Amino acid sequence: MSTISHEAAFAALQAGAQKVREIGEPSSLAIVDSGGNLVAFMRVDDASLSTVEIAQGKAYSALALRSPTGNWLEAVQPGGALYGLDALGGKRPFVVFGGGLPVRSGKSVIGGVGVSGGPVEADITIAEAMLHELQQS
Amino acid sequence: MSTISHEAAFAALQAGAQKVREIGEPSSLAIVDSGGNLVAFMRVDDASLSTVEIAQGKAYSALALRSPTGNWLEAVQPGGALYGLDALGGKRPFVVFGGGLPVRSGKSVIGGVGVSGGPVEADITIAEAMLHELQQS
Amino acid sequence: MSTISHEAAFAALQAGAQKVREIGEPSSLAIVDSGGNLVAFMRVDDASLSTVEIAQGKAYSALALRSPTGNWLEAVQPGGALYGLDALGGKRPFVVFGGGLPVRSGKSVIGGVGVSGGPVEADITIAEAMLHELQQS
Amino acid sequence: MSTISHEAAFAALQAGAQKVREIGEPSSLAIVDSGGNLVAFMRVDDASLSTVEIAQGKAYSALALRSPTGNWLEAVQPGGALYGLDALGGKRPFVVFGGGLPVRSGKSVIGGVGVSGGPVEADITIAEAMLHELQQS
Protein backbone atom coordinates (compact mmCIF):
# COMPACT_ATOMS: atom_id res chain seq x y z
CA MET A 1 0.00 0.00 0.00
CA SER A 2 1.48 3.33 -1.04
CA THR A 3 -1.75 5.31 -1.09
CA ILE A 4 -5.04 4.76 0.72
CA SER A 5 -7.65 3.34 -1.66
CA HIS A 6 -11.32 3.91 -1.00
CA GLU A 7 -11.79 0.20 -0.39
CA ALA A 8 -9.13 0.30 2.32
CA ALA A 9 -10.76 3.43 3.73
CA PHE A 10 -14.16 1.71 3.79
CA ALA A 11 -12.70 -1.23 5.66
CA ALA A 12 -10.98 1.09 8.14
CA LEU A 13 -14.20 2.99 8.82
CA GLN A 14 -15.99 -0.30 9.42
CA ALA A 15 -13.28 -1.52 11.76
CA GLY A 16 -13.48 1.79 13.59
CA ALA A 17 -17.27 1.66 13.83
CA GLN A 18 -17.11 -1.84 15.24
CA LYS A 19 -14.65 -0.74 17.90
CA VAL A 20 -16.89 2.24 18.71
CA ARG A 21 -19.75 -0.14 19.44
CA GLU A 22 -17.56 -2.47 21.51
CA ILE A 23 -16.40 0.27 23.82
CA GLY A 24 -19.57 2.31 23.70
CA GLU A 25 -18.17 5.73 22.84
CA PRO A 26 -19.97 7.31 19.86
CA SER A 27 -17.22 8.90 17.77
CA SER A 28 -16.30 10.54 14.50
CA LEU A 29 -13.72 8.77 12.33
CA ALA A 30 -11.61 10.54 9.71
CA ILE A 31 -8.94 9.52 7.20
CA VAL A 32 -6.76 11.92 5.20
CA ASP A 33 -4.32 11.22 2.37
CA SER A 34 -0.65 12.21 2.08
CA GLY A 35 -1.61 15.75 1.15
CA GLY A 36 -3.78 16.16 4.24
CA ASN A 37 -7.00 16.06 2.22
CA LEU A 38 -10.07 14.16 3.36
CA VAL A 39 -10.47 10.62 1.98
CA ALA A 40 -13.19 9.21 4.22
CA PHE A 41 -15.27 10.21 7.21
CA MET A 42 -17.98 8.62 9.34
CA ARG A 43 -19.80 10.03 12.35
CA VAL A 44 -20.93 6.94 14.16
CA ASP A 45 -24.45 7.40 15.51
CA ASP A 46 -24.88 10.07 18.08
CA ALA A 47 -21.33 11.36 18.22
CA SER A 48 -21.53 15.02 19.21
CA LEU A 49 -21.11 17.74 16.62
CA SER A 50 -17.83 18.87 18.15
CA THR A 51 -16.29 15.61 17.00
CA VAL A 52 -16.74 16.36 13.28
CA GLU A 53 -14.02 18.99 13.20
CA ILE A 54 -11.82 17.44 15.89
CA ALA A 55 -11.58 14.04 14.21
CA GLN A 56 -10.59 15.68 10.92
CA GLY A 57 -8.15 17.91 12.77
CA LYS A 58 -6.49 14.93 14.42
CA ALA A 59 -6.11 13.07 11.12
CA TYR A 60 -4.65 16.20 9.51
CA SER A 61 -2.32 16.88 12.44
CA ALA A 62 -0.98 13.33 12.58
CA LEU A 63 -0.18 13.52 8.87
CA ALA A 64 1.26 17.03 8.91
CA LEU A 65 3.37 16.46 12.03
CA ARG A 66 4.13 12.83 11.15
CA SER A 67 3.52 11.49 14.63
CA PRO A 68 0.72 10.58 17.02
CA THR A 69 -1.05 13.80 17.99
CA GLY A 70 -0.62 13.22 21.71
CA ASN A 71 3.17 13.34 21.35
CA TRP A 72 3.06 17.13 21.21
CA LEU A 73 0.95 17.80 24.27
CA GLU A 74 3.88 18.45 26.57
CA ALA A 75 6.02 20.57 24.22
CA VAL A 76 3.20 23.03 23.48
CA GLN A 77 2.40 23.70 27.17
CA PRO A 78 3.34 26.93 28.89
CA GLY A 79 7.07 26.77 29.36
CA GLY A 80 7.44 24.09 26.70
CA ALA A 81 9.88 24.29 23.79
CA LEU A 82 7.13 24.62 21.17
CA TYR A 83 4.65 26.81 23.02
CA GLY A 84 2.04 27.95 20.52
CA LEU A 85 2.63 25.20 17.97
CA ASP A 86 -1.03 24.17 18.15
CA ALA A 87 -2.07 27.47 16.54
CA LEU A 88 0.26 27.01 13.58
CA GLY A 89 -1.60 24.42 11.52
CA GLY A 90 -2.46 26.76 8.69
CA LYS A 91 -5.75 25.55 7.24
CA ARG A 92 -6.86 24.26 10.65
CA PRO A 93 -5.34 24.29 14.16
CA PHE A 94 -3.19 21.33 15.13
CA VAL A 95 -4.79 19.00 17.66
CA VAL A 96 -2.20 18.08 20.29
CA PHE A 97 -4.00 15.50 22.37
CA GLY A 98 -4.32 11.84 21.53
CA GLY A 99 -6.51 10.23 18.88
CA GLY A 100 -4.63 11.05 15.68
CA LEU A 101 -2.15 8.57 14.20
CA PRO A 102 0.02 8.76 11.08
CA VAL A 103 -0.42 6.04 8.45
CA ARG A 104 2.96 4.74 7.32
CA SER A 105 4.07 2.73 4.32
CA GLY A 106 7.71 1.80 4.78
CA LYS A 107 9.48 5.04 5.64
CA SER A 108 6.81 7.28 4.15
CA VAL A 109 3.82 8.79 5.87
CA ILE A 110 0.95 8.32 3.42
CA GLY A 111 -1.94 9.61 5.48
CA GLY A 112 -3.50 10.08 8.86
CA VAL A 113 -6.43 8.76 10.89
CA GLY A 114 -8.25 10.74 13.54
CA VAL A 115 -10.89 9.78 16.08
CA SER A 116 -12.91 12.01 18.40
CA GLY A 117 -15.73 11.08 20.72
CA GLY A 118 -14.76 9.54 24.02
CA PRO A 119 -11.92 10.02 26.46
CA VAL A 120 -8.52 10.25 24.76
CA GLU A 121 -7.71 6.63 25.60
CA ALA A 122 -10.84 5.44 23.80
CA ASP A 123 -10.08 7.64 20.81
CA ILE A 124 -6.60 6.14 20.59
CA THR A 125 -7.92 2.57 20.83
CA ILE A 126 -10.35 3.19 17.99
CA ALA A 127 -7.70 4.93 15.87
CA GLU A 128 -5.40 1.95 16.37
CA ALA A 129 -8.15 -0.38 15.14
CA MET A 130 -8.52 1.74 12.00
CA LEU A 131 -4.78 1.85 11.46
CA HIS A 132 -4.49 -1.91 11.91
CA GLU A 133 -7.13 -2.41 9.24
CA LEU A 134 -5.43 0.04 6.84
CA GLN A 135 -2.15 -1.80 7.23
CA GLN A 136 -3.78 -5.09 6.18
CA SER A 137 -4.80 -3.55 2.88
CA MET B 1 -36.18 6.41 9.01
CA SER B 2 -36.21 9.74 10.82
CA THR B 3 -32.49 10.23 11.08
CA ILE B 4 -29.61 8.86 9.01
CA SER B 5 -27.86 6.06 10.92
CA HIS B 6 -24.26 5.34 10.21
CA GLU B 7 -25.24 1.92 8.82
CA ALA B 8 -27.54 3.62 6.33
CA ALA B 9 -24.77 6.09 5.50
CA PHE B 10 -22.32 3.24 4.91
CA ALA B 11 -24.76 1.55 2.58
CA ALA B 12 -25.34 4.80 0.71
CA LEU B 13 -21.61 5.38 0.28
CA GLN B 14 -21.25 1.88 -1.07
CA ALA B 15 -24.14 2.31 -3.48
CA GLY B 16 -22.59 5.58 -4.61
CA ALA B 17 -19.15 4.02 -5.06
CA GLN B 18 -20.63 1.24 -7.15
CA LYS B 19 -22.40 3.73 -9.40
CA VAL B 20 -19.12 5.72 -9.69
CA ARG B 21 -17.43 2.61 -11.04
CA GLU B 22 -20.30 1.82 -13.41
CA ILE B 23 -20.22 5.20 -15.07
CA GLY B 24 -16.50 5.77 -14.73
CA GLU B 25 -16.45 9.22 -13.11
CA PRO B 26 -14.26 9.28 -9.97
CA SER B 27 -16.22 11.33 -7.44
CA SER B 28 -16.50 12.49 -3.85
CA LEU B 29 -19.65 11.47 -1.97
CA ALA B 30 -20.99 13.32 1.06
CA ILE B 31 -23.93 12.94 3.44
CA VAL B 32 -25.07 15.52 6.00
CA ASP B 33 -27.67 15.23 8.75
CA SER B 34 -30.66 17.47 9.52
CA GLY B 35 -28.34 20.00 11.13
CA GLY B 36 -26.21 20.26 8.00
CA ASN B 37 -23.29 18.56 9.71
CA LEU B 38 -21.20 15.87 8.05
CA VAL B 39 -22.27 12.26 8.66
CA ALA B 40 -20.23 10.42 6.06
CA PHE B 41 -17.80 11.12 3.25
CA MET B 42 -15.85 9.08 0.74
CA ARG B 43 -13.52 10.25 -2.02
CA VAL B 44 -13.65 7.39 -4.46
CA ASP B 45 -10.17 6.73 -5.81
CA ASP B 46 -8.71 9.42 -7.94
CA ALA B 47 -11.43 12.02 -7.62
CA SER B 48 -9.75 15.41 -7.91
CA LEU B 49 -9.17 17.52 -4.80
CA SER B 50 -11.71 20.10 -5.90
CA THR B 51 -14.44 17.53 -5.30
CA VAL B 52 -13.81 17.29 -1.55
CA GLU B 53 -15.29 20.69 -0.78
CA ILE B 54 -17.87 20.72 -3.57
CA ALA B 55 -19.48 17.39 -2.63
CA GLN B 56 -19.84 18.57 0.98
CA GLY B 57 -21.15 21.90 -0.25
CA LYS B 58 -23.81 20.23 -2.37
CA ALA B 59 -25.01 18.02 0.49
CA TYR B 60 -25.17 21.02 2.80
CA SER B 61 -26.94 23.18 0.22
CA ALA B 62 -29.56 20.54 -0.60
CA LEU B 63 -30.36 20.20 3.10
CA ALA B 64 -30.28 23.88 3.89
CA LEU B 65 -32.36 24.90 0.87
CA ARG B 66 -34.51 21.75 1.01
CA SER B 67 -34.32 21.09 -2.71
CA PRO B 68 -32.01 19.73 -5.40
CA THR B 69 -29.10 22.13 -5.75
CA GLY B 70 -29.58 22.62 -9.49
CA ASN B 71 -33.03 24.12 -8.90
CA TRP B 72 -31.46 27.43 -7.90
CA LEU B 73 -29.13 27.98 -10.84
CA GLU B 74 -31.51 30.23 -12.71
CA ALA B 75 -32.76 32.32 -9.81
CA VAL B 76 -29.28 33.27 -8.58
CA GLN B 77 -28.12 34.64 -11.93
CA PRO B 78 -27.60 38.36 -12.46
CA GLY B 79 -31.09 39.72 -12.94
CA GLY B 80 -32.61 36.69 -11.21
CA ALA B 81 -34.97 36.89 -8.27
CA LEU B 82 -32.41 35.53 -5.80
CA TYR B 83 -29.22 37.07 -7.14
CA GLY B 84 -26.48 36.56 -4.56
CA LEU B 85 -28.15 33.67 -2.76
CA ASP B 86 -25.15 31.43 -3.41
CA ALA B 87 -22.97 33.60 -1.17
CA LEU B 88 -25.38 33.37 1.75
CA GLY B 89 -24.70 29.85 2.95
CA GLY B 90 -23.07 30.94 6.18
CA LYS B 91 -20.39 28.43 7.01
CA ARG B 92 -19.85 27.58 3.33
CA PRO B 93 -21.16 28.94 0.00
CA PHE B 94 -24.29 27.35 -1.43
CA VAL B 95 -23.65 25.28 -4.54
CA VAL B 96 -26.26 26.05 -7.17
CA PHE B 97 -25.55 23.47 -9.84
CA GLY B 98 -26.75 19.88 -9.81
CA GLY B 99 -25.47 17.01 -7.69
CA GLY B 100 -27.00 17.77 -4.29
CA LEU B 101 -30.29 16.20 -3.22
CA PRO B 102 -32.31 16.54 -0.02
CA VAL B 103 -33.07 13.39 1.97
CA ARG B 104 -36.73 13.28 2.99
CA SER B 105 -38.63 11.26 5.56
CA GLY B 106 -42.34 11.87 5.09
CA LYS B 107 -42.67 15.64 5.00
CA SER B 108 -39.42 16.33 6.80
CA VAL B 109 -36.02 16.92 5.28
CA ILE B 110 -33.63 14.90 7.42
CA GLY B 111 -30.40 15.36 5.52
CA GLY B 112 -28.65 15.89 2.22
CA VAL B 113 -26.41 14.01 -0.19
CA GLY B 114 -23.87 15.62 -2.47
CA VAL B 115 -21.72 14.28 -5.29
CA SER B 116 -18.89 15.96 -7.22
CA GLY B 117 -16.60 14.51 -9.82
CA GLY B 118 -17.99 14.23 -13.30
CA PRO B 119 -20.32 16.32 -15.42
CA VAL B 120 -23.39 17.51 -13.52
CA GLU B 121 -25.55 14.78 -15.05
CA ALA B 122 -23.23 12.07 -13.72
CA ASP B 123 -23.15 13.70 -10.30
CA ILE B 124 -26.95 13.66 -10.19
CA THR B 125 -27.15 10.00 -11.25
CA ILE B 126 -24.76 9.00 -8.47
CA ALA B 127 -26.57 11.15 -5.90
CA GLU B 128 -29.86 9.48 -6.87
CA ALA B 129 -28.30 6.05 -6.30
CA MET B 130 -27.21 7.15 -2.82
CA LEU B 131 -30.63 8.61 -2.06
CA HIS B 132 -32.37 5.45 -3.25
CA GLU B 133 -30.23 3.40 -0.88
CA LEU B 134 -30.90 5.76 2.05
CA GLN B 135 -34.63 5.46 1.48
CA GLN B 136 -34.47 1.66 1.72
CA SER B 137 -32.98 1.91 5.19
CA MET C 1 9.22 12.00 -12.34
CA SER C 2 6.34 10.99 -10.06
CA THR C 3 6.75 13.75 -7.51
CA ILE C 4 8.30 17.20 -7.79
CA SER C 5 11.74 17.25 -6.13
CA HIS C 6 13.10 20.49 -4.77
CA GLU C 7 15.85 20.41 -7.41
CA ALA C 8 13.23 20.24 -10.15
CA ALA C 9 11.32 23.03 -8.43
CA PHE C 10 14.47 25.18 -8.27
CA ALA C 11 15.08 24.66 -11.97
CA ALA C 12 11.46 25.51 -12.77
CA LEU C 13 11.62 28.72 -10.74
CA GLN C 14 14.79 29.69 -12.57
CA ALA C 15 13.26 28.94 -15.96
CA GLY C 16 10.24 31.01 -14.94
CA ALA C 17 12.39 33.90 -13.71
CA GLN C 18 14.31 33.93 -16.98
CA LYS C 19 11.09 34.09 -18.97
CA VAL C 20 9.85 36.89 -16.70
CA ARG C 21 12.90 38.93 -17.63
CA GLU C 22 12.58 38.14 -21.34
CA ILE C 23 9.04 39.39 -21.56
CA GLY C 24 9.39 42.08 -18.93
CA GLU C 25 6.44 41.27 -16.68
CA PRO C 26 7.45 41.01 -13.00
CA SER C 27 5.55 38.01 -11.66
CA SER C 28 5.10 35.60 -8.79
CA LEU C 29 5.76 31.93 -9.51
CA ALA C 30 4.30 29.08 -7.44
CA ILE C 31 4.52 25.30 -7.48
CA VAL C 32 2.30 22.94 -5.45
CA ASP C 33 2.53 19.18 -4.96
CA SER C 34 -0.14 16.52 -5.57
CA GLY C 35 -1.84 17.42 -2.28
CA GLY C 36 -2.11 21.08 -3.23
CA ASN C 37 0.55 22.12 -0.71
CA LEU C 38 3.26 24.68 -1.51
CA VAL C 39 6.59 23.29 -2.74
CA ALA C 40 8.29 26.42 -4.07
CA PHE C 41 7.59 30.08 -4.59
CA MET C 42 9.43 33.08 -5.98
CA ARG C 43 8.27 36.66 -6.37
CA VAL C 44 10.48 37.95 -9.11
CA ASP C 45 11.60 41.50 -8.34
CA ASP C 46 8.91 44.06 -8.13
CA ALA C 47 5.92 41.87 -8.79
CA SER C 48 2.96 43.46 -7.01
CA LEU C 49 1.73 42.08 -3.69
CA SER C 50 -1.53 40.92 -5.24
CA THR C 51 0.42 38.34 -7.18
CA VAL C 52 1.57 36.44 -4.06
CA GLU C 53 -1.86 34.98 -3.36
CA ILE C 54 -3.01 34.76 -6.97
CA ALA C 55 0.00 32.74 -8.16
CA GLN C 56 -0.49 30.27 -5.32
CA GLY C 57 -4.22 30.18 -6.04
CA LYS C 58 -3.60 29.36 -9.68
CA ALA C 59 -1.19 26.54 -8.87
CA TYR C 60 -3.67 25.13 -6.34
CA SER C 61 -6.62 25.47 -8.73
CA ALA C 62 -4.82 23.79 -11.64
CA LEU C 63 -3.98 20.86 -9.36
CA ALA C 64 -7.37 20.61 -7.68
CA LEU C 65 -9.34 20.95 -10.91
CA ARG C 66 -6.79 19.01 -12.98
CA SER C 67 -6.81 21.42 -15.90
CA PRO C 68 -5.48 24.80 -16.98
CA THR C 69 -7.22 27.43 -14.86
CA GLY C 70 -8.49 29.40 -17.84
CA ASN C 71 -10.56 26.41 -19.01
CA TRP C 72 -13.21 27.24 -16.42
CA LEU C 73 -13.71 30.90 -17.19
CA GLU C 74 -16.72 30.39 -19.40
CA ALA C 75 -18.55 27.80 -17.32
CA VAL C 76 -18.48 29.92 -14.16
CA GLN C 77 -19.95 33.01 -15.84
CA PRO C 78 -23.51 34.14 -15.30
CA GLY C 79 -25.65 31.68 -17.20
CA GLY C 80 -22.84 29.10 -17.25
CA ALA C 81 -23.26 25.52 -16.14
CA LEU C 82 -20.96 25.92 -13.13
CA TYR C 83 -21.89 29.40 -11.98
CA GLY C 84 -20.28 29.98 -8.60
CA LEU C 85 -17.60 27.27 -8.93
CA ASP C 86 -14.87 29.83 -8.27
CA ALA C 87 -16.08 30.29 -4.69
CA LEU C 88 -15.92 26.56 -3.93
CA GLY C 89 -12.17 26.03 -3.52
CA GLY C 90 -12.32 25.36 0.20
CA LYS C 91 -9.02 26.57 1.63
CA ARG C 92 -8.74 29.28 -1.04
CA PRO C 93 -10.99 30.44 -3.91
CA PHE C 94 -10.41 28.83 -7.29
CA VAL C 95 -8.80 31.11 -9.86
CA VAL C 96 -10.60 30.69 -13.16
CA PHE C 97 -8.50 32.79 -15.52
CA GLY C 98 -5.32 31.68 -17.21
CA GLY C 99 -1.89 31.21 -15.65
CA GLY C 100 -2.32 27.95 -13.74
CA LEU C 101 -1.32 24.63 -15.33
CA PRO C 102 -1.48 21.07 -13.98
CA VAL C 103 1.78 19.09 -13.84
CA ARG C 104 1.26 15.61 -15.25
CA SER C 105 3.27 12.43 -14.99
CA GLY C 106 1.73 9.86 -17.32
CA LYS C 107 -1.98 9.84 -16.46
CA SER C 108 -1.52 11.31 -12.99
CA VAL C 109 -1.62 14.94 -12.00
CA ILE C 110 1.29 15.35 -9.59
CA GLY C 111 1.17 19.08 -8.99
CA GLY C 112 0.40 22.51 -10.31
CA VAL C 113 2.23 25.66 -11.38
CA GLY C 114 0.78 29.15 -11.15
CA VAL C 115 1.99 32.51 -12.41
CA SER C 116 0.60 35.97 -11.73
CA GLY C 117 1.97 39.33 -12.75
CA GLY C 118 1.27 40.41 -16.29
CA PRO C 119 -1.64 39.99 -18.69
CA VAL C 120 -3.05 36.48 -18.74
CA GLU C 121 -1.19 35.62 -21.94
CA ALA C 122 2.15 36.48 -20.32
CA ASP C 123 1.25 34.47 -17.21
CA ILE C 124 0.49 31.45 -19.38
CA THR C 125 3.75 31.78 -21.34
CA ILE C 126 5.76 31.87 -18.13
CA ALA C 127 3.81 28.96 -16.64
CA GLU C 128 4.50 26.94 -19.79
CA ALA C 129 8.24 27.63 -19.42
CA MET C 130 8.10 26.34 -15.84
CA LEU C 131 6.12 23.29 -16.85
CA HIS C 132 8.53 22.54 -19.69
CA GLU C 133 11.42 22.61 -17.24
CA LEU C 134 9.60 20.37 -14.74
CA GLN C 135 8.95 17.83 -17.44
CA GLN C 136 12.66 17.63 -18.26
CA SER C 137 13.41 16.58 -14.69
CA MET D 1 21.47 45.59 -0.21
CA SER D 2 18.38 47.58 0.77
CA THR D 3 15.80 45.14 -0.52
CA ILE D 4 15.97 41.40 -1.14
CA SER D 5 16.28 40.73 -4.88
CA HIS D 6 15.05 37.47 -6.27
CA GLU D 7 18.63 36.53 -7.18
CA ALA D 8 19.65 36.98 -3.55
CA ALA D 9 16.60 34.99 -2.49
CA PHE D 10 17.53 32.19 -4.88
CA ALA D 11 21.04 32.07 -3.49
CA ALA D 12 19.72 32.03 0.07
CA LEU D 13 17.35 29.16 -0.71
CA GLN D 14 20.22 27.22 -2.22
CA ALA D 15 22.46 27.89 0.76
CA GLY D 16 19.64 26.76 3.02
CA ALA D 17 19.00 23.60 0.99
CA GLN D 18 22.68 22.72 1.14
CA LYS D 19 22.71 23.11 4.92
CA VAL D 20 19.54 20.99 5.13
CA ARG D 21 21.37 18.19 3.37
CA GLU D 22 24.49 18.57 5.52
CA ILE D 23 22.61 18.20 8.77
CA GLY D 24 19.95 15.84 7.47
CA GLU D 25 16.79 17.60 8.63
CA PRO D 26 14.30 18.05 5.74
CA SER D 27 12.92 21.57 6.16
CA SER D 28 10.86 24.34 4.65
CA LEU D 29 12.65 27.63 3.96
CA ALA D 30 10.89 31.00 3.67
CA ILE D 31 11.91 34.58 2.98
CA VAL D 32 9.69 37.65 3.39
CA ASP D 33 10.31 41.25 2.40
CA SER D 34 10.08 44.43 4.49
CA GLY D 35 6.29 44.35 4.17
CA GLY D 36 6.09 40.83 5.58
CA ASN D 37 5.03 39.41 2.22
CA LEU D 38 6.45 36.21 0.77
CA VAL D 39 9.46 36.58 -1.55
CA ALA D 40 10.67 33.00 -1.81
CA PHE D 41 9.87 29.57 -0.43
CA MET D 42 11.23 26.07 -0.84
CA ARG D 43 10.10 22.85 0.84
CA VAL D 44 13.21 20.73 0.67
CA ASP D 45 12.25 17.17 -0.20
CA ASP D 46 10.27 15.32 2.38
CA ALA D 47 9.81 18.11 4.88
CA SER D 48 6.49 17.46 6.63
CA LEU D 49 3.43 19.51 5.70
CA SER D 50 3.40 21.24 9.06
CA THR D 51 6.58 23.04 8.07
CA VAL D 52 4.95 24.94 5.18
CA GLU D 53 3.00 27.28 7.44
CA ILE D 54 5.50 27.36 10.29
CA ALA D 55 8.49 28.42 8.14
CA GLN D 56 6.45 31.26 6.66
CA GLY D 57 5.22 32.18 10.12
CA LYS D 58 8.75 32.38 11.47
CA ALA D 59 9.96 34.60 8.61
CA TYR D 60 6.96 36.88 9.10
CA SER D 61 7.37 36.98 12.87
CA ALA D 62 11.08 37.80 12.72
CA LEU D 63 10.37 40.68 10.37
CA ALA D 64 7.32 41.96 12.19
CA LEU D 65 8.89 41.76 15.64
CA ARG D 66 12.37 42.71 14.35
CA SER D 67 14.17 40.04 16.31
CA PRO D 68 14.89 36.31 16.32
CA THR D 69 11.64 34.48 16.98
CA GLY D 70 12.99 32.54 19.94
CA ASN D 71 13.60 35.76 21.85
CA TRP D 72 9.91 36.00 22.71
CA LEU D 73 9.33 32.53 24.10
CA GLU D 74 9.73 33.55 27.71
CA ALA D 75 7.79 36.80 27.62
CA VAL D 76 4.67 35.26 26.07
CA GLN D 77 4.26 32.56 28.72
CA PRO D 78 1.45 32.66 31.26
CA GLY D 79 2.56 35.23 33.79
CA GLY D 80 5.00 36.77 31.29
CA ALA D 81 5.07 40.45 30.40
CA LEU D 82 3.68 39.84 26.92
CA TYR D 83 1.28 37.01 27.55
CA GLY D 84 -0.86 36.51 24.46
CA LEU D 85 1.50 38.27 22.05
CA ASP D 86 1.71 35.15 19.88
CA ALA D 87 -1.97 35.49 18.96
CA LEU D 88 -1.57 39.10 17.84
CA GLY D 89 0.17 38.60 14.50
CA GLY D 90 -2.80 39.74 12.46
CA LYS D 91 -2.77 37.77 9.24
CA ARG D 92 -1.04 34.81 10.92
CA PRO D 93 -0.03 33.91 14.51
CA PHE D 94 3.45 34.92 15.63
CA VAL D 95 5.81 31.98 16.09
CA VAL D 96 7.72 32.36 19.34
CA PHE D 97 10.24 29.54 19.16
CA GLY D 98 13.53 29.64 17.30
CA GLY D 99 14.09 29.43 13.54
CA GLY D 100 13.08 32.92 12.39
CA LEU D 101 15.68 35.66 11.94
CA PRO D 102 15.34 39.28 10.82
CA VAL D 103 17.30 40.42 7.75
CA ARG D 104 19.06 43.70 8.43
CA SER D 105 20.63 46.29 6.15
CA GLY D 106 22.43 48.86 8.26
CA LYS D 107 19.91 49.89 10.90
CA SER D 108 16.88 48.80 8.89
CA VAL D 109 15.11 45.49 8.98
CA ILE D 110 14.42 44.67 5.35
CA GLY D 111 13.00 41.19 5.66
CA GLY D 112 12.89 37.90 7.52
CA VAL D 113 13.92 34.30 7.02
CA GLY D 114 12.19 31.32 8.59
CA VAL D 115 13.05 27.63 8.76
CA SER D 116 10.97 24.71 10.03
CA GLY D 117 11.74 21.02 9.94
CA GLY D 118 14.08 19.75 12.59
CA PRO D 119 14.67 20.55 16.23
CA VAL D 120 14.80 24.28 16.92
CA GLU D 121 18.61 24.27 17.00
CA ALA D 122 18.77 22.82 13.47
CA ASP D 123 16.21 25.33 12.24
CA ILE D 124 18.34 28.17 13.61
CA THR D 125 21.53 26.81 12.02
CA ILE D 126 19.85 26.64 8.62
CA ALA D 127 18.32 30.10 9.01
CA GLU D 128 21.76 31.49 9.84
CA ALA D 129 23.15 29.95 6.63
CA MET D 130 20.41 31.66 4.63
CA LEU D 131 20.98 34.97 6.39
CA HIS D 132 24.72 34.76 5.80
CA GLU D 133 24.10 34.27 2.09
CA LEU D 134 21.63 37.16 1.94
CA GLN D 135 24.16 39.45 3.56
CA GLN D 136 26.74 38.65 0.88
CA SER D 137 24.39 39.87 -1.83
Side-chain angles (χ1 to χ4, degrees), chain A residues 2-22:
Chain A
S2 64
T3 60
I4 301 171
S5 70
H6 80 268
E7 286 89 353
F10 257 126
L13 288 184
Q14 284 176 310
Q18 189 177 342
K19 188 60 75 176
V20 164
R21 261 175 255 125
E22 264 178 56

Side-chain angles (χ1 to χ4, degrees), chain A residues 37-89:
Chain A
N37 299 294
L38 193 62
V39 172
F41 175 89
M42 183 68 62
R43 177 149 49 100
V44 181
D45 292 351
D46 260 345
S48 70
L49 289 191
S50 61
T51 64
V52 175
E53 171 64 23
I54 297 175
Q56 292 183 65
K58 285 180 179 176
Y60 168 64
S61 302
L63 175 276
L65 294 163
R66 292 185 180 162
S67 67
T69 50
N71 285 11
W72 303 89
L73 188 58
E74 205 175 306
V76 305
Q77 296 298 317
L82 298 173
Y83 181 57
L85 174 72
D86 47 315
L88 304 175

